[in-house]
Amino acid sequence: MPSAPLGGTVKSRLIASIALSAAVLLGTSGCALVSTQATKLPYSPGDGVNIPDSGPLKVRNVVIISDADGDAANMIAAIVNETDEPQTLSLELGEGSTAQTATVRVGARETVSLGDSAENEPPLALDAIDGLPGSTIPVYFQSGDSEGVLYQVPVLDGELDYYGDFQP
C-alpha cells in the first residue's frame, strides 16, 4: 500500500500556501484597505486658502497681508467665474462691530486676481483688521444664490519677499 507523502497531500499544501499568502497580504496592507488616502484629501497648496462652497465663484489662495500692528491690511486672491453671467462676491471680514464688508465683481468667464500688478488689479484694502500676522480672521464668502461659507483666512506680513509689495 503506498504511503501518503510527508506533510499531507498536494491539495492540502496548496490550500495552506494560499491561506498563508492571504494572511501575509492582509497583514501588510490591511490598514491601507480601510484608511483614507492622503492624496485624495483636498488642501490648499499655497500660503492662502481655497474657499469651498462659496457659490458659483471659485475663490482661490486667499491670504491677508497685514502691517505688524494689524492697523491696515490687503487681501490678495484669485476669483474665478466659470459661468456665462457676471457674478458678485460678497465678503464680510471679522465679527461684531469691527466687521467690514466688501464686494468684488467678476465678469462672465473671467478671473480677477486681487493684487496682480500685471493686470492692474490692486489688492483689496482693509482697515484695522482684528488680527496680527500669524493669526487667522473669519471671513464670510458668498456669491450667487448660495448660502455662502465662513472660513478662517491666514494673516501674514511682508517678511517674505514676494509679499513685500502687498504690505500696506
Side-chain angles (χ1 to χ4, degrees):
M1 170 185 272
S3 63
L6 290 177
T9 65
V10 172
K11 188 175 185 180
S12 63
R13 278 195 253 164
L14 181 62
I15 290 173
S17 296
I18 291 172
L20 182 62
S21 297
V24 168
L25 222 114
L26 185 61
T28 58
S29 65
C31 293
L33 291 174
V34 294
S35 63
T36 305
Q37 292 178 346
T39 56
K40 300 247 184 208
L41 298 174
Y43 74 102
S44 298
D47 294 330
V49 292
N50 294 333
I51 310 301
D53 304 325
S54 63
L57 293 176
K58 311 265 189 265
V59 184
R60 301 288 180 252
N61 203 26
V62 181
V63 66
I64 296 172
I65 309 299
S66 172
D67 62 6
D69 301 326
D71 293 332
N74 288 317
M75 177 184 283
I76 56 176
I79 306 163
V80 181
N81 182 0
E82 295 177 342
T83 70
D84 292 326
E85 301 290 326
Q87 300 285 335
T88 300
L89 177 67
S90 299
L91 304 159
E92 184 174 321
L93 295 93
E95 298 174 309
S97 61
T98 61
Q100 300 177 50
T101 59
T103 59
V104 179
R105 186 88 168 143
V106 183
R109 303 233 168 255
E110 289 185 3
T111 298
V112 171
S113 295
L114 299 174
D116 186 350
S117 58
E119 294 183 23
N120 278 340
E121 191 67 50
L124 183 63
L126 307 171
D127 297 323
I129 62 168
D130 194 20
L132 296 172
S135 66
T136 60
I137 294 179
V139 180
Y140 180 75
F141 297 85
Q142 190 274 328
S143 64
D145 294 334
S146 76
E147 188 175 310
V149 63
L150 182 66
Y151 220 79
Q152 295 292 325
V153 176
V155 179
L156 302 176
D157 58 15
E159 186 76 20
L160 297 171
D161 291 340
Y162 51 90
Y163 288 134
D165 293 341
F166 299 112
Q167 191 173 23

